[in-house]
Amino acid sequence: MSDTKRSVWWALAVGVLVAGFAAAQQIEVGMTLAYNNFVIGEPVLVQLEMLNATRDLIDIGGKDSKDRIMVEITKGGQYNDLKPFNSDPIAGAFQLKPGQSTQHKVELDKWFSLIQEGKYVVRLMVVHNGMRYESTKKSFDVVPGITVKEGVQMFVKNQELKRLFKLVYWHRNQADRLFLRIEDEPGERIWDSIDLGALMRMTPPKLDISPDGEITVVHRSTQDAFIRTVLWSLPNSVEVVERNSLLDPEISASQRVKSLYGEMADEKKKDEKKSWWKFW
């Protein structure tokens, strides 16, 4: 074999070895969406995944560290990225030793505005030693849902504030699911939509808005079971306080008929339990 051919084969061999070594010195980056579609206002949950296949320590969010995690989101095929409104690190601060892996669950809507209906594309990126490692792109849809019931809550000490409750359903994982969307007017504040569970549409769901701020939803989840969900709705907070199964929605749809659930208490105890309502 001539010297020229030997040089060519040697260069090829070295190139293969270098490529193999570089491939081994990688950071594997991935992400898994909880669902392919989300109702407007529903938390967009995603799991960020990393495997450190390098010989280095990866220091995300550490002092003087240049390692970082980024999420890129575009909408409707646009090339311009959505700008995050939250400057906090999306996965916090952590270190990853060689050979270690990690998973972080993140609600993307707490960093990006994802309340407009449409298709979004998301990608996770990790920067280490000047190199950028990217996950494959994932897409998801934000949908309004199909409305089945609506209601309005007014506030005694804030006449201008109006809270809209909307029961909508959407097909997910081969079943219809019921969601409660909550929006304020004016101000257009959108609260986290609540997944109320599986829905059988043969029986329309019930929505009861009590003057004292107690919101009750009753819906059929199976052929012989109903789910009752109770929320407290105050001007600056919305909280789910109770969920249970029941058999007779015609009676139990009204939160005020408490004696049928063994929840009857005298008015004094009731006022003590919810005394903070007096600050409305």
Side-chain angles (χ1 to χ4, degrees):
M1 183 181 295
S2 65
D3 291 341
T4 301
K5 288 185 177 180
R6 287 194 184 94
S7 299
V8 171
W9 281 108
W10 176 250
L12 289 174
V14 170
V16 170
L17 289 173
V18 170
F21 180 79
Q25 300 292 301
Q26 295 291 315
I27 299 174
E28 296 182 16
V29 182
M31 63 189 324
T32 303
L33 287 161
Y35 310 107
N36 293 325
N37 53 69
F38 299 86
V39 169
I40 290 174
E42 184 182 8
V44 180
L45 182 62
V46 63
Q47 180 171 277
L48 309 180
E49 302 152 355
M50 285 180 55
L51 170 63
N52 183 7
T54 73
R55 300 175 184 269
D56 306 326
L57 174 70
I58 297 176
D59 185 12
I60 301 295
K63 185 178 180 181
D64 300 327
S65 174
K66 296 183 179 180
D67 297 344
R68 64 186 189 274
I69 286 180
M70 300 180 294
V71 171
E72 176 187 87
I73 300 181
T74 57
K75 180 181 181 295
Q78 299 175 359
Y79 292 101
N80 294 330
D81 300 345
L82 295 182
K83 302 299 181 183
F85 57 79
N86 187 346
S87 60
D88 292 340
I90 198 164
F94 65 93
Q95 292 184 337
L96 209 58
K97 297 178 180 179
Q100 282 189 331
S101 62
T102 187
Q103 298 176 339
H104 288 270
K105 290 184 178 179
V106 174
E107 293 180 357
L108 293 178
D109 57 294
K110 303 304 184 289
W111 274 265
F112 299 88
S113 178
L114 303 175
I115 58 176
Q116 292 186 356
E117 179 183 353
K119 182 177 288 294
Y120 295 81
V121 177
V122 58
R123 176 171 58 182
L124 172 65
M125 293 168 289
V126 176
V127 176
H128 173 67
N129 282 347
M131 296 288 292
R132 177 164 148 165
Y133 304 89
E134 301 177 351
S135 70
T136 57
K137 293 182 177 180
K138 300 290 183 70
S139 66
F140 62 91
D141 295 303
V142 173
V143 299
I146 300 172
T147 303
V148 293
K149 201 83 171 180
E150 293 181 295
V152 178
Q153 178 188 11
M154 307 299 294
F155 295 91
V156 176
K157 292 189 176 181
N158 191 343
Q159 298 290 337
E160 295 182 355
L161 178 61
K162 181 171 63 175
R163 183 159 295 160
L164 309 179
F165 294 88
K166 184 180 294 186
L167 288 172
V168 305
Y169 74 88
W170 196 255
H171 198 74
R172 175 185 286 170
N173 295 338
Q174 301 181 342
D176 290 332
R177 298 190 70 84
L178 185 66
F179 299 85
L180 180 61
R181 290 178 50 186
I182 308 170
E183 302 178 14
D184 286 353
E185 293 183 355
E188 299 182 348
R189 178 175 182 176
I190 297 179
W191 297 82
D192 281 357
S193 294
I194 302 170
D195 184 349
L196 299 176
L199 170 70
M200 298 199 71
R201 288 184 282 140
M202 63 178 66
T203 303
K206 295 180 179 294
L207 174 63
D208 181 78
I209 301 176
S210 176
D212 60 6
E214 208 160 51
I215 314 299
T216 304
V217 179
V218 177
H219 75 279
R220 182 189 289 272
S221 58
T222 65
Q223 290 282 357
D224 55 0
F226 296 81
I227 295 178
R228 173 174 173 267
T229 305
V230 181
L231 303 89
W232 287 340
S233 176
L234 302 177
N236 296 312
S237 66
V238 175
E239 180 184 2
V240 176
V241 295
E242 183 180 346
R243 296 194 71 176
N244 52 43
S245 298
L246 52 89
L247 298 177
D248 190 349
E250 293 298 330
I251 299 176
S252 61
S254 174
Q255 169 67 8
R256 295 181 285 277
V257 188
K258 290 178 176 293
S259 59
L260 298 172
Y261 293 94
E263 299 172 358
M264 178 61 77
D266 58 60
E267 290 298 321
K268 180 179 179 181
K269 290 184 178 179
K270 180 178 178 180
D271 290 341
E272 289 175 354
K273 180 180 178 182
K274 301 174 184 177
S275 60
W276 34 267
W277 281 349
K278 65 185 179 183
F279 295 112
W280 279 20

